[in-house]
Amino acid sequence: MYGSVEDVIRSSIQKQGQITFAEFMEKALYWPGGGYYTKGSPIGFSGDYYTSPSTHPIFGALIAVQLFQMWQLMGRPKPFTIVEVGSGNGLLMRDLTQYLQYLPEGFSNNVEYVCVDKGEQNKTGRSTNRQSRSYSDIAEYQGQGIEGCVLSNELIDSFPVHRLQMKKGILRELYVTLRDGVFVEEEGALSTQELSDHFNQLGIKLNDGHVFEVNLNVSRWIKDVSQMLKRGYVITVDYGGMAGDIYSESNGQGTLTCFYRHVQTNNPYLHIGNQDITSQVNYTMLTKYGLGQGFVNKAYLSQREFLTNLGLPYFLKRLQALDTDYRTKLANRFSMLNLVSPEGFGEFKVLIQSKNVSNVELWCRKLGFEEMPILRELPMPMLTASHMPLLEGKYPHVGLELSDTWM
Ligand SMILES: C[S@@+](CC[C@H](N)C(=O)[O-])C[C@H]1O[C@@H](n2cnc3c(N)ncnc32)[C@H](O)[C@@H]1O
């Protein structure tokens, strides 16, 4: 019987001598008996980090607006199935499905919302909404031939990755082992041919010593999505970039990042099972594999562009004119701006891929909110107790010290 995930990992290393970083990360995050994501919801004020859904409900609201247009473009199918994979504590599902009800033509009556998350504990949060169903993985869901949209926010950055290093023109893999009871890395031959195939497809050159991650699960993910989706869209929101950016010289030690109680560390061997481990998403591979599965690239935008084009500035203006107290306005404004600022989530990327749908431009691609009369009919999404109190966290006394003119 193992006490902790760290014991499990130590035991695997003792048996095998060394394990790949992907195996280490898979166990640290997802070991059923107590991996980081299996234990509970680490997102939010009391957790280790926060994400766009926990920042402000306008994130889910504007995605709902985009989904409405997609539904129209597809000829208003019923059901229009939204499969959110990596749905975590269910906050995006809650915000989004609530907002769907304000969209015209009875859109919400046509929507079926499916949450999929490996984290068992997250199920409690997910299953509270009457309109949604929840599953632990795509295989359990068994959704095939759906019409609608597969949606994810910060899913792919949490897939286990292999770590590689370029050594005198040869690719070597970094394995995890134990020396005198301490976790250390040692290099060796590649554990699978898939790694060099993946690298060759990137078509990039790396300097000697460059360390980088390879996320082999991306191709499996795209295949799964392709099997699931007969017609519709895939919206992927995450941090990362094209291969040239994430494998640039400035990332010469890789892009692996860990979060523990809102502090970023770069050591995956600390707080094992109690800290998040992520790496930047390689959008080049996501689009390449997508094309191979018959997807069309509809949009690749920063989150700032995506939310701005869908109307975030319009809602900022409306907030200013709202008949509510100044502190509420300030807190909402602060959180909304966090979604689009470079210090917040503004540089995250939004990739939209489509399959078997017409080639009409999506609203998120053009700055069209002035011409979107639909927005005028929609309510202003406001922070709730489930979202992060970002303003209070940063400026605890702001309500007392600033005047109304700050807005
Ligand atoms: C970084 S969290 C993001 C949660 C949520 N989307 C948000 O933005 O707050 C990543 C989530 O993806 C889930 N996850 C990772 N791999 C998964 C997979 N293959 N299938 C389903 N869920 C997965 C994890 O359990 C975790 O809840």
Side-chain angles (χ1 to χ4, degrees):
M1 208 37 210
Y2 297 110
S4 70
V5 64
E6 183 168 336
D7 295 339
V8 173
I9 293 171
R10 282 177 181 275
S11 156
S12 295
I13 295 175
Q14 274 147 10
K15 276 189 212 135
Q16 302 171 48
Q18 59 181 18
I19 57 174
T20 63
F21 189 81
E23 188 180 338
F24 170 86
M25 187 165 163
E26 171 74 40
K27 287 197 161 76
L29 297 185
Y30 304 111
W31 177 57
Y36 181 70
Y37 280 112
T38 11
K39 271 201 302 223
S41 178
I43 298 166
F45 192 60
S46 56
D48 296 304
Y49 62 95
Y50 64 97
T51 56
S52 293
S54 46
T55 299
H56 197 280
I58 195 153
F59 182 73
L62 293 179
I63 293 178
V65 170
Q66 181 55 85
L67 289 166
F68 172 69
Q69 186 210 12
M70 290 171 168
W71 174 67
Q72 285 186 322
L73 292 178
M74 288 172 64
R76 300 171 176 77
K78 183 170 185 167
F80 180 84
T81 307
I82 303 168
V83 185
E84 189 197 345
V85 186
S87 48
N89 58 15
L91 192 51
L92 178 58
M93 174 273 290
R94 205 200 65 186
D95 287 343
L96 204 153
T97 51
Q98 262 175 21
Y99 210 72
L100 286 178
Q101 290 163 31
Y102 305 117
L103 285 154
E105 302 181 32
F107 178 38
S108 72
N109 299 328
N110 295 269
V111 170
E112 167 190 71
Y113 203 103
V114 175
C115 290
V116 180
D117 198 290
K118 267 175 135 173
E120 283 297 311
Q121 300 298 317
N122 291 334
K123 275 193 169 164
T124 334
R126 293 201 302 269
S127 57
T128 52
N129 190 309
R130 169 172 67 78
Q131 217 179 341
S132 74
R133 288 180 285 141
S134 67
Y135 300 91
S136 297
D137 57 40
I138 293 181
E140 187 198 352
Y141 167 45
Q142 289 188 326
Q144 283 203 349
I146 63 160
E147 295 186 277
C149 181
V150 178
L151 170 66
S152 69
N153 184 65
E154 293 208 49
L155 165 73
I156 297 173
D157 71 35
S158 67
F159 286 173
V161 289
H162 291 259
R163 297 191 78 209
L164 269 59
Q165 186 167 32
M166 182 59 82
K167 279 280 183 79
K168 297 188 180 127
I170 295 172
L171 285 180
R172 303 283 284 165
E173 181 152 4
L174 297 179
Y175 290 84
V176 184
T177 189
L178 289 165
R179 201 168 295 144
D180 299 327
V182 177
F183 287 101
V184 290
E185 290 174 355
E186 67 184 15
E187 62 164 86
L190 300 187
S191 57
T192 157
Q193 171 72 27
E194 274 186 89
L195 290 167
S196 50
D197 294 346
H198 181 104
F199 184 77
N200 292 338
Q201 286 191 58
L202 287 175
I204 52 163
K205 289 216 172 327
L206 296 179
N207 287 338
D208 198 40
H210 196 118
V211 174
F212 60 102
E213 297 84 30
V214 173
N215 190 336
L216 290 181
N217 288 312
V218 169
S219 76
R220 289 167 205 146
W221 159 251
I222 289 285
K223 275 189 202 139
D224 286 348
V225 172
S226 179
Q227 266 181 6
M228 197 159 48
L229 194 66
K230 180 169 81 184
R231 210 159 71 88
Y233 296 86
V234 187
I235 303 181
T236 305
V237 187
D238 220 314
Y239 82 117
M242 288 299 176
D245 298 324
I246 64 169
Y247 295 139
S248 68
E249 265 306 286
S250 58
N251 289 327
Q253 287 310 301
T255 66
L256 204 72
T257 306
C258 308
F259 287 96
Y260 180 68
R261 298 192 181 152
H262 295 278
V263 175
Q264 186 174 338
T265 77
N266 291 323
N267 187 343
Y269 308 111
L270 295 175
H271 316 296
I272 296 172
N274 292 311
Q275 73 169 356
D276 192 23
I277 309 174
T278 73
S279 71
Q280 292 196 25
V281 172
N282 180 343
Y283 279 92
T284 300
M285 292 317 280
L286 208 49
T287 49
K288 246 186 194 169
Y289 288 136
L291 292 173
Q293 292 292 324
F295 286 103
V296 173
N297 292 326
K298 288 296 293 175
Y300 175 67
L301 304 161
S302 67
Q303 181 162 309
R304 178 181 53 75
E305 292 167 315
F306 176 77
L307 295 178
T308 301
N309 291 348
L310 285 170
L312 190 128
Y314 169 77
F315 282 101
L316 277 171
K317 262 197 230 158
R318 278 206 11 210
L319 176 68
Q320 210 165 343
L322 213 63
D323 184 20
T324 186
D325 66 281
Y326 143 79
R327 196 187 162 87
T328 302
K329 285 189 197 181
L330 205 55
N332 277 276
R333 182 183 166 81
F334 190 79
S335 295
M336 285 165 77
L337 289 176
N338 196 267
L339 288 172
V340 290
S341 72
E343 302 76 35
F345 296 98
E347 294 303 317
F348 273 45
K349 301 296 184 297
V350 182
L351 173 68
I352 303 187
Q353 295 157 296
S354 69
K355 189 173 173 186
N356 299 331
V357 291
S358 73
N359 203 20
V360 177
E361 193 76 296
L362 295 174
W363 285 339
C364 68
R365 285 265 299 166
K366 45 185 185 161
L367 228 151
F369 58 90
E370 301 293 357
E371 304 117 55
M372 281 161 60
I374 181 184
L375 295 188
R376 285 199 284 277
E377 311 299 321
L378 297 175
M380 176 77 218
M382 298 293 276
L383 283 171
T384 72
S386 306
H387 300 94
M388 285 286 289
L390 287 185
L391 180 74
E392 277 164 41
K394 192 144 192 183
Y395 305 111
H397 308 299
V398 73
L400 306 172
E401 289 165 6
L402 295 176
S403 77
D404 273 5
T405 53
W406 199 83
M407 286 292 291

